[in-house]
Amino acid sequence: DIVMTQSPDSLAVSLGEGATINCKSSQSVLFSSNSKNYLAWYQQKPGQPPNLLIYWASTRESGVPDRFSGSGSGTDFTLTISSLQPEDVAVYYCQQYYSTPPTFGQGTKLEIK
Amino acid sequence: QVQLQESGPGLVKPSQTLSLTCTVSGGSISSGSNYWSWIRQPAGKGLEWIGRIYTSGNTNYNPSLKSRVTISIDTSKNQFSLKLTSVTAADTAVYYCARGRDQVAQLDQWGQGTLVAVSS
């Protein structure tokens, strides 16, 4: 299985400031034939299911605010929130779907400082 | 917009079989290049992918659970189901059903989840 490791495990950011969450895969999730990174980001608020934010590493899902962006390739990826809003308090997960079984990172808890 | 809803017993005895159904509304379970998945999350922990099924009936399972898992689909009812045999307390979790896109890709619609406790 591909192991996904997120950092940090938790972070606290002031409202209006930027937040960066990192995700590293134990092997590349870049599919050479189509140059796509098989990597998604999800947001999970307490008591709710995960919500898809980003797929193909950098494509924003419809309806997701543009303060959320994804970047990276191969084994190293980043989710960036440009200006933290109160509703962004959540746990964020990365997921690879390059190989079966798809695997998730352990999650990063984002709080307001 | 497609919606998914899990249903099934909230309490299962050890060694018995956990059975859940996911009902898809607002669209056909057979449309597009979608697939249908089960994911679980123990309280306070991360997400574990259980398996997926295509409308063809083809399935993929997590090797860690493969010997105990069966996922099936009933396109006439717009439902797919999960059976997990020989459960233990370690199988206590919130179970989510979800829709996947593009054959293998991202999970774009999730059910609200259902808590299943394994206890005598």
Side-chain angles (χ1 to χ4, degrees):
Chain A
D1 297 6
I2 296 178
V3 177
M4 308 299 290
T5 304
Q6 293 180 224
S7 62
D9 289 333
S10 65
L11 76 161
V13 176
S14 300
L15 289 173
E17 295 296 307
T20 299
I21 298 170
N22 300 301
C23 175
K24 188 174 184 67
S25 57
S26 61
Q27 63 188 75
S28 176
V29 298
L30 173 63
F31 195 41
S32 56
S33 66
N34 59 12
S35 299
K36 287 186 173 181
N37 286 284
Y38 284 50
L39 189 286
W41 289 96
Y42 301 86
Q43 174 194 65
Q44 187 177 32
K45 298 180 180 180
Q48 295 185 21
N51 180 50
L52 177 66
L53 297 175
I54 303 284
Y55 57 98
W56 302 129
S58 61
T59 302
R60 198 180 304 114
E61 174 72 342
S62 175
V64 173
D66 60 8
R67 63 180 181 274
F68 291 92
S69 63
S71 63
S73 185
T75 61
D76 292 280
F77 301 91
T78 299
L79 175 69
T80 301
I81 308 172
S82 60
S83 176
L84 193 71
Q85 302 300 303
E87 61 267 31
D88 300 336
V89 170
V91 178
Y92 292 84
Y93 294 94
C94 61
Q95 180 219 3
Q96 67 80 20
Y97 44 92
Y98 179 88
S99 68
T100 302
T103 47
F104 296 86
Q106 80 277 16
T108 296
K109 187 174 185 179
L110 177 58
E111 298 174 312
I112 305 293
K113 186 186 294 182
Chain B
Q1 163 130 342
V2 167
Q3 294 186 314
L4 295 87
Q5 180 66 58
E6 306 87 352
S7 60
L11 181 65
V12 181
K13 288 182 166 49
S15 80
Q16 294 192 341
T17 297
L18 179 160
S19 296
L20 295 174
T21 296
C22 182
T23 300
V24 178
S25 59
S28 171
I29 201 170
S30 301
S31 66
S33 56
N34 301 320
Y35 66 92
W36 308 91
S37 271
W38 289 96
I39 302 98
R40 69 181 183 179
Q41 185 173 36
K45 296 189 177 181
L47 299 160
E48 180 180 31
W49 184 85
I50 299 171
R52 65 182 164 219
I53 190 165
Y54 298 87
T55 53
S56 63
N58 289 341
T59 54
N60 299 117
Y61 299 130
N62 193 322
S64 67
L65 299 168
K66 187 174 183 177
S67 64
R68 299 194 291 131
V69 172
T70 302
I71 298 176
S72 58
I73 192 166
D74 188 336
T75 55
S76 67
K77 294 183 178 179
N78 241 30
Q79 294 177 334
F80 62 107
S81 299
L82 169 70
K83 290 190 187 301
L84 182 66
T85 62
S86 304
V87 298
T88 70
D91 295 310
T92 294
V94 174
Y95 285 75
Y96 295 103
C97 59
R99 183 182 75 174
R101 220 186 272 172
D102 296 336
Q103 296 298 317
V104 296
Q106 65 277 8
L107 298 161
D108 66 345
Q109 295 292 332
W110 295 64
Q112 284 300 306
T114 187
L115 174 62
V116 179
V118 178
S119 176
S120 55

